[in-house]
């Protein structure tokens, strides 16, 4: 367990109206507005939390999903540690657009290794009775596109909202641990190669 607090940037992407701002506001302020306005550009809020003994400051970046705001949101993708791909279970088009959001993120965030980048998929508005996307279908998409974690949320009812952000943190920490492991491996390699007398520089 490390005592240092880690600053993590997570970014919410998805079509206009799927509930990105509502999820962020529910998580940070525990409020829900049934008549929220569309976001213009980006906004962010911080929340401190502890996950598996690690203290983290989560910086949540909420972006405008509407196409006309594309140029306002994309400059903020760089440096994100995790991307929450969000759709609404009562809006099929928002689900079908997930791959476009994923591609847009990879391009503008300049992700070097997309296969190992921590994406988490959120199906929001599960309080609604009429669904257009089933849980199984969403899970299948996640499995096929990178084995991403899938969570069903309701910002309105506060279902799984904290769990979703905690999962984002877990995904980042898992990647970080893998990297630390690799670096440790490199140290061992260098030592063993110097012992064997090889000269590289
Ligand atoms: N029933 C229900 N409505 C929700 C939920 N989350 C958001 N909404 C409503 O859906 C509408 C759009 O929510 P927003 O949070 O503004 O959506 P957004 O993804 O931020 O939209 P953009 O800012 O345009 O990208 C609002 O009227 C919210 O009240 C939910 O979990 N359940
Ligand atoms: Mg919004």
């Amino acid at each position: 367990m490390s005592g240092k607090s880690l600053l993590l940037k997570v970014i919410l992407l998805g079509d206009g109206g799927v509930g990105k701002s509502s999820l962020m506001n529910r998580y940070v302020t525990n409020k829900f507005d049934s008549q929220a306005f569309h976001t213009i550009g980006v906004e962010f809020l911080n929340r401190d939390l502890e996950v598996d003994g690690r203290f983290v400051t989560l910086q949540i970046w909420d972006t405008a999903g509407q196409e006309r705001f594309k140029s306002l949101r994309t400059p903020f993708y760089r440096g994100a540690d995790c991307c929450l791909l969000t759709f609404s279970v009562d809006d099929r088009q928002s689900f079908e657009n997930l791959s476009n959001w994923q591609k847009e993120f990879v391009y503008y965030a300049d992700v070097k290794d997309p296969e190992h980048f921590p994406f988490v998929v959120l199906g929001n508005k599960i309080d609604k009775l009429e669904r257009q996307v089933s849980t199984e279908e969403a899970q299948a998409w996640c499995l096929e596109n990178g084995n991403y974690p899938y969570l069903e949320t309701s910002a309105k009812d506060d279902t799984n909202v904290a769990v979703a952000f905690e999962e984002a943190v877990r995904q980042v920490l898992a990647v970080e641990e893998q990297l630390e492991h690799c670096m440790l491996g490199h140290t061992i390699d260098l030592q063993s190669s110097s012992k064997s007398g090889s000269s590289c520089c």
Side-chain angles (χ1 to χ4, degrees):
M1 172 177 148
S2 163
K4 272 193 295 175
S5 179
L6 202 64
L7 178 69
L8 297 184
K9 174 177 176 177
V10 301
I11 192 152
L12 282 155
L13 298 189
D15 282 9
V18 298
K20 300 178 296 298
S21 304
S22 302
L23 287 165
M24 179 179 75
N25 289 324
R26 170 60 84 188
Y27 185 56
V28 179
T29 66
N30 201 20
K31 289 192 180 122
F32 176 76
D33 179 357
S34 60
Q35 290 177 340
F37 290 108
H38 284 291
T39 305
I40 297 167
V42 297
E43 292 168 4
F44 78 87
L45 290 175
N46 284 353
R47 180 171 161 175
D48 294 332
L49 73 155
E50 190 186 339
V51 175
D52 305 334
R54 292 288 299 265
F55 293 94
V56 171
T57 298
L58 203 55
Q59 191 171 76
I60 304 165
W61 290 70
D62 170 33
T63 61
Q66 289 182 307
E67 185 56 28
R68 62 194 166 122
F69 298 128
K70 182 172 174 178
S71 62
L72 294 180
R73 65 176 178 253
T74 50
F76 295 91
Y77 294 4
R78 270 175 186 265
D81 297 295
C82 179
C83 177
L84 296 167
L85 295 170
T86 314
F87 72 98
S88 173
V89 297
D90 73 334
D91 175 2
R92 178 142 206 101
Q93 191 60 53
S94 70
F95 173 67
E96 285 172 2
N97 284 339
L98 285 182
S99 11
N100 296 334
W101 285 108
Q102 186 188 26
K103 282 186 202 122
E104 182 177 296
F105 176 77
V106 166
Y107 181 79
Y108 288 99
D110 197 17
V111 176
K112 301 285 182 241
D113 185 10
E115 280 185 23
H116 296 105
F117 189 85
F119 287 98
V120 174
V121 178
L122 307 182
N124 189 40
K125 304 198 189 180
I126 53 158
D127 58 281
K128 291 217 168 178
L129 297 178
E130 286 178 18
R131 291 180 67 130
Q132 292 185 358
V133 184
S134 70
T135 306
E136 294 72 27
E137 198 177 355
Q139 282 171 337
W141 189 90
C142 291
L143 195 63
E144 280 162 26
N145 286 274
N147 203 10
Y148 305 141
Y150 174 59
L151 289 141
E152 299 206 322
T153 57
S154 166
K156 185 180 179 197
D157 291 354
D158 197 8
T159 306
N160 268 346
V161 178
V163 175
F165 287 104
E166 284 162 16
E167 181 59 33
V169 173
R170 282 203 180 89
Q171 290 299 313
V172 181
L173 295 180
V175 171
E176 198 193 56
E177 271 166 26
Q178 270 178 3
L179 275 175
E180 276 170 12
H181 193 71
C182 286
M183 284 165 76
L184 193 66
H186 276 294
T187 309
I188 290 163
D189 281 343
L190 283 172
Q191 283 173 346
S192 61
S193 64
S194 71
K195 269 185 203 150
S196 68
S198 74
S199 57
C200 62
C201 42

